[in-house]
Amino acid sequence: MMCKHRTLFILFVLIFCVLQTVLAGEKPKAHLGGALRFNYNYSDWKEGNKHRGGDFGFDVFRINVNASWKKIRLDAEYRFYARTSGGGMLKYGWVGYQFNDNHVLQLGQNTVPFGAMPFNSNNYFFSINYYLGLEDDADMGLKYCFRKKGWELDAAFYKNADLLDFSEGVETSDSRYAYDIAGRNKEVNQGNLRVAYNWGERWKHQIGASAMYGGIYNLDTEKMGSRYAFAIHYTLNWKRWNLKAQYTTYKFSPENKEDEPRNQITMTAYGAPYEIAAHADTYTASLCYTFPIDKGILDEIRLYNDFSMMHKRKAGFNDSFQNITGCMLGMGPVLVYVDYALGKNQPWLGNDWNEAFTSATLEKGWNARLNVNIGYYF
């Protein structure tokens, strides 16, 4: 054991000496940032929450690191949630090479290029796509980014989802920021391609298309299934207005055991898995307007409405809906999101957790949640 520690110590010293020699000519640049957020919610389907007048507590503490040395780049974000919400987790973290202003390579856990980016929504809850693993997701692989004369092209290969446990037969961890396939299936060998074009000066448009294809490895049958997703999106910026619209279709085809259903699949994040329909289409539309204030501590107010629906391509599965009306108050480093969230057959907005994104029931109506998120960003 002593020999092992001595070897590791010598290796560490050698690496440190090499880095000191390499960095002697030019010092790296680094920026440390982050955020601390708190959250209040009043949920009409929770009797205890209603009787208490809602609940207010800790949301997340996060650390962001952005560094560069010559043409080498590093970008990472680590988040600390409550243990019941998954605990600590890496949102993304990659090392890249900036060839020039037009070409970049990113290696590591980087954001999956898909749909309107960086987000297909304005509110705290994102759109339904997020809960299906199709918005603000990051996986482990290599991504190439090209930007020139209005064109955006991203091509990526992801070996697997983030936070992989290399032990044979171990299921995907529930402690993760973005939704990934879980249970007895794992995401593997995923390819992504996203192309978008920007034009206009007063009316700034973007239109784009995205494609994803990958494998689904089953731990029981040891067979490889498949999955795909396609999307087209459009965004518009005019004066203080912003519009986003997107259509997405996806299909998961796992190779489960004979006695297990294949019309649904397990997804997980924030410490709690649930089921989603294996084949569905989603429609999202977002509109927002920003009022500049610049009085006192208030810089701006952004009003928005984000609508999304999930049409399940399985007879007997009822569709899911989500509509968020709210505003963002910008006060220097402080951002406050005030959202009135309505959901039907949405697990985060109702008491049907495991079947809301699969069969659901026609008897269940809309649920509402008033949510206030307060964050200091540094």
Side-chain angles (χ1 to χ4, degrees):
M1 183 63 69
M2 288 297 293
C3 180
K4 179 180 178 181
H5 287 311
R6 189 179 298 113
T7 302
L8 288 174
F9 176 74
I10 294 172
L11 180 60
F12 174 80
V13 171
L14 287 173
I15 293 174
F16 179 78
C17 291
V18 171
L19 286 175
Q20 285 290 92
T21 303
V22 172
L23 299 177
E26 182 178 330
K27 293 184 178 180
K29 301 174 183 177
H31 174 73
L32 182 67
L36 174 64
R37 302 196 322 222
F38 302 96
N39 203 76
Y40 167 81
N41 81 88
Y42 179 91
S43 305
D44 72 355
W45 67 94
K46 298 179 181 180
E47 291 302 321
N49 178 280
K50 289 166 62 177
H51 292 156
R52 293 188 299 271
D55 294 306
F56 180 60
F58 169 71
D59 178 22
V60 65
F61 176 68
R62 79 184 202 200
I63 294 293
N64 294 81
V65 179
N66 189 281
S68 64
W69 175 71
K70 293 187 177 180
K71 294 188 176 183
I72 297 176
R73 304 288 183 266
L74 178 145
D75 197 9
E77 180 177 312
Y78 196 88
R79 295 191 168 200
F80 300 88
Y81 289 92
R83 183 180 55 82
T84 53
S85 296
M89 59 190 71
L90 184 69
K91 184 179 185 289
Y92 61 82
W94 55 265
V95 175
Y97 189 84
Q98 180 99 36
F99 293 92
N100 51 45
D101 292 339
N102 306 125
H103 307 272
V104 181
L105 272 179
Q106 299 177 3
L107 177 65
Q109 186 174 316
N110 55 69
T111 302
V112 176
F114 193 86
M117 297 188 72
F119 309 109
N120 187 30
S121 49
N122 302 286
N123 67 86
Y124 173 78
F125 294 93
F126 298 109
S127 74
I128 273 184
N129 284 1
Y130 172 77
Y131 303 94
L132 308 175
L134 296 172
E135 182 180 352
D136 198 26
D137 183 26
D139 290 325
M140 191 63 69
L142 180 67
K143 180 170 69 172
Y144 164 72
C145 307
F146 171 79
R147 303 289 185 271
K148 190 174 183 179
K149 295 182 178 179
W151 285 99
E152 298 180 10
L153 185 146
D154 298 290
F157 173 75
Y158 297 101
K159 192 66 189 73
N160 41 254
D162 55 298
L163 304 174
L164 177 70
D165 191 318
F166 293 96
S167 303
E168 286 294 326
V170 175
E171 297 182 358
T172 299
S173 169
D174 297 326
S175 296
R176 61 188 58 244
Y177 166 81
Y179 280 91
D180 291 308
I181 293 174
R184 302 307 292 169
N185 289 295
K186 286 179 177 278
E187 298 179 5
V188 295
N189 303 334
Q190 174 180 317
N192 277 82
L193 181 66
R194 177 183 181 272
V195 180
Y197 182 69
N198 302 274
W199 76 96
E201 295 183 4
R202 292 187 60 205
W203 297 74
K204 298 178 181 180
H205 309 264
Q206 182 184 95
I207 188 168
S210 306
M212 181 275 285
Y213 185 84
I216 303 176
Y217 181 75
N218 186 272
L219 298 174
D220 298 318
T221 64
E222 299 184 345
K223 293 182 179 180
M224 189 73 74
S226 64
R227 57 199 169 94
Y228 69 75
F230 300 100
I232 55 174
H233 75 270
Y234 171 76
T235 65
L236 170 67
N237 285 286
W238 176 68
K239 294 184 178 180
R240 300 190 183 101
W241 291 94
N242 172 261
L243 171 69
K244 300 183 182 76
Q246 182 171 317
Y247 164 74
T248 306
T249 184
Y250 74 86
K251 185 176 183 180
F252 296 160
S253 302
E255 290 289 341
N256 298 338
K257 292 190 297 187
E258 291 296 328
D259 59 340
E260 293 182 352
R262 302 191 181 190
N263 53 23
Q264 61 190 56
I265 196 164
T266 305
M267 303 289 288
T268 193
Y270 294 106
Y274 54 56
E275 301 293 312
I276 71 167
H279 191 192
D281 303 322
T282 67
Y283 304 84
T284 67
S286 302
L287 183 65
C288 81
Y289 183 84
T290 302
F291 293 92
I293 305 297
D294 294 324
K295 291 183 179 180
I297 63 171
L298 187 59
D299 298 325
E300 65 178 22
I301 299 176
R302 181 179 303 160
L303 303 179
Y304 49 78
N305 191 86
D306 298 338
F307 172 81
S308 53
M309 71 164 291
M310 175 188 184
H311 171 60
K312 302 160 189 173
R313 304 280 286 273
K314 164 67 179 173
F317 279 22
N318 298 303
D319 295 343
S320 296
F321 301 86
Q322 173 183 302
N323 191 82
I324 316 294
T325 302
C327 68
M328 186 277 289
L329 309 177
M331 295 170 282
V334 176
L335 298 180
V336 179
Y337 288 86
V338 182
D339 293 322
Y340 182 69
L342 291 170
K344 182 177 182 181
N345 302 327
Q346 212 280 32
W348 285 93
L349 299 172
N351 55 15
D352 183 1
W353 178 258
N354 202 50
E355 296 182 354
F357 277 151
T358 56
S359 57
T361 59
L362 288 175
E363 289 76 16
K364 293 187 179 297
W366 291 81
N367 290 114
R369 170 171 168 165
L370 174 63
N371 197 87
V372 182
N373 189 267
I374 306 166
Y376 187 99
Y377 297 78
F378 58 91

